[in-house]
Amino acid sequence: MARQIGTLQEWLNLDQAAEYLGVSKRSLINAVNLCKDKICNDTLEIKRFGNRTLISKSSIDATPNIITQYTGGIV
């Protein structure tokens, strides 16, 4: 279980974001990679902090559909 998310916390690590979304960490990593490759999920705000990847909680809330698997069709 990830560290509990504070009410004022804006940036989530991958474990926290996966738990917040109710998906596996592996699925979230796939979504982040699709964002980094500019394939989809372009509204997600992602930043690196040392060796950690952080995702903005407000960008998760603002993204209607977070795609975790891309099969090559129109997004």
Side-chain angles (χ1 to χ4, degrees), residues 8-25:
L8 298 176
Q9 186 174 352
E10 173 56 22
W11 292 94
L12 307 176
N13 63 36
L14 291 176
D15 290 322
Q16 291 171 320
E19 189 172 311
Y20 182 70
L21 287 167
V23 299
S24 70
K25 184 177 177 181

Side-chain angles (χ1 to χ4, degrees), residues 14 24-34:
L14 291 176
S24 70
K25 184 177 177 181
R26 181 72 243 162
S27 291
L28 185 63
I29 290 170
N30 289 342
V32 167
N33 288 336
L34 289 171

